[in-house]
Amino acid sequence: MPSDSSAARPESDAASSLSAYGWDDDLETSFAPHRRAGLVPARVVGVDRGRCDVVTGAGPLRVAFSAADGPCTGDWAAVRPAAGGEPELVALLPRRTAIVRAGSSRSSHGQVLAANVDTVAVVVSAAVRLNAGRVERLLALGWESGAVPVVVATKADQAADPGGLTAELAGLAPGAEAVATSAVTGEGLDRLRGLLTGTVVLLGASGAGKSTLANALLGADDLATGDVRAQDGKGRHTTVRREMVALPDGGVLIDTPGLRGVGLFGAEEGLERTFAEIEELALGCRFTDCAHHIEPGCAVQAAIESGELGARRLDSYRKLQRENAWMAARSDARLRAEREERWKAITKQQRAAYRFRGRK
């Protein structure tokens, strides 16, 4: 008769094979109720058309899901294995981190781009003019998610001044590392590998070189790449969905399609971290509610006058704050409307019940 340790070995072997994707003791503890129900743990590596690809301790599966709030790449899930039918994703484990942007339709709902991410690599191309505002937006998303952002310039071999670009990126990203890389020469890749830990997601515009960078980190051309237009540095969406692949030195990488719109959604803390130097300067303002316009004793305006802080940086901060506040107001209005609809439905049910009782 097998010992208890032998009987437990299949589960421990499955967990061990999932450890390469980030499975740990905390996840095992939270999964215990699902395991008792006969479900198996899995990580979502890609989602499309009502189906998702997952990796389990026994290998990859393609599973169906019917949850209203569906899975996204990076989620940990409970899967019911096939028993004469199709495997099914039954539940999602709570997300440790999530990268959320405003819905592309500008609705009051957020869109989760990736879940359970440890490192957000904000990718820009050194071959085109830097879009500082886009970098700041992506950094705000990264900080807000709970992950650690890293700013990565690709195509450093095409840059006139790679060192100057790195310094400029560092100025946009207080508290985050900035590194210039080249998939052609190998510049910066070793340093970047040392900065990327756990689950890594690549965020950036189409043509920024995300898939080429991913292939350089993977050491193989596993992800499709495309040409970039010389006139504007934009490329086709060769990555058509968010997909996860294992890195050779440990951890996993999520490549994403190029982002055209990057709307903020509930990113108050992310903005504070992205513009940390402005937040720090504001502590020295004479008035605690200083708007940094013409108020006397404004430390932020004094920093602009002295050249310590650029006016563009403050303008960008204000713009993103307004956008974030607008989205928050829309979200609050939606929640109020949903609460009112629920109360209307409850009241209608109660009235119907009273009428039914009255007829007895």
Side-chain angles (χ1 to χ4, degrees):
M1 181 176 180
S3 66
D4 292 342
S5 60
S6 298
R9 191 170 298 143
E11 289 184 6
S12 62
D13 288 347
S16 176
S17 62
L18 277 178
S19 63
Y21 286 84
W23 189 257
D24 58 25
D25 291 342
D26 289 338
L27 287 168
E28 180 64 40
T29 299
S30 64
F31 192 80
H34 300 298
R35 197 182 292 283
R36 288 194 293 270
L39 307 178
V40 297
R43 191 157 200 199
V44 178
V45 298
V47 182
D48 62 83
R49 299 180 183 179
R51 298 288 186 275
C52 61
D53 295 313
V54 303
V55 60
T56 71
L61 285 177
R62 187 159 177 82
V63 302
F65 63 88
S66 57
D69 186 14
C72 73
T73 304
D75 270 324
W76 286 102
V79 170
R80 178 178 292 114
E86 186 177 22
E88 182 185 5
L89 189 154
V90 177
L92 298 177
L93 272 63
R95 291 165 177 161
R96 294 174 172 176
T97 63
I99 299 173
V100 184
R101 70 167 175 178
S104 56
S105 63
R106 306 295 288 172
S107 70
S108 58
H109 294 271
Q111 177 190 11
V112 183
L113 299 178
N116 301 306
V117 171
D118 300 294
T119 309
V120 176
V122 175
V123 183
V124 299
S125 171
V128 298
R129 183 178 179 180
L130 179 66
N131 185 332
R134 175 174 286 270
V135 172
E136 289 162 344
R137 284 176 176 272
L138 292 174
L139 280 167
L141 260 64
W143 282 122
E144 187 67 30
S145 74
V148 177
V150 176
V151 186
V152 186
T154 63
K155 310 177 188 180
D157 53 289
Q158 300 180 40
D161 182 12
L165 175 61
T166 304
E168 186 175 1
L169 290 173
L172 296 174
E177 296 285 347
V179 56
T181 67
S182 168
V184 175
T185 67
E187 177 187 347
L189 291 178
D190 285 342
R191 179 170 175 242
L192 179 60
R193 289 188 184 97
L195 296 173
L196 304 181
T197 59
T199 297
V200 180
V201 65
L202 306 181
L203 295 182
S206 180
K210 297 186 302 299
S211 295
T212 300
L213 175 63
N215 285 332
L217 295 170
L218 291 168
D221 293 334
D222 291 344
L223 301 175
T225 59
D227 295 330
V228 175
R229 295 198 298 262
Q231 64 267 34
D232 58 10
K234 295 182 179 179
R236 294 182 297 109
H237 289 279
T238 49
T239 300
V240 296
R241 68 169 187 167
R242 291 174 283 277
E243 56 183 317
M244 178 187 294
V245 290
L247 290 168
D249 297 325
V252 291
L253 181 72
I254 300 175
D255 190 20
T256 65
L259 298 175
R260 288 192 178 94
V262 191
L264 299 184
F265 186 85
E268 292 86 356
E269 184 176 346
L271 285 172
E272 291 175 3
R273 296 290 296 271
T274 301
F275 296 91
E277 81 280 29
I278 296 178
E279 291 286 330
E280 185 175 353
L281 285 167
L283 296 175
C285 291
R286 182 182 300 176
F287 304 108
T288 57
D289 60 346
C290 183
H292 317 310
H293 286 289
I294 57 173
E295 295 86 350
C298 176
V300 175
Q301 285 295 335
I304 291 175
E305 292 173 6
S306 69
E308 180 185 353
L309 177 70
R312 187 215 65 83
R313 183 82 167 151
L314 179 59
D315 289 343
S316 180
Y317 186 32
R318 286 172 173 157
K319 177 182 178 181
L320 295 179
Q321 280 185 317
R322 288 194 299 270
E323 178 184 319
N324 192 63
W326 180 77
M327 285 304 303
R330 284 176 61 89
S331 180
D332 289 344
R334 173 180 58 82
L335 292 174
R336 285 195 300 271
E338 289 176 352
R339 284 196 297 268
E340 289 174 2
E341 287 300 317
R342 284 198 297 271
W343 279 113
K344 286 179 182 178
I346 291 170
T347 302
K348 185 177 180 180
Q349 291 171 356
Q350 288 175 337
R351 288 173 178 170
Y354 295 151
R355 286 195 297 269
F356 176 77
R357 292 171 187 168
R359 288 196 296 267
K360 284 187 175 182

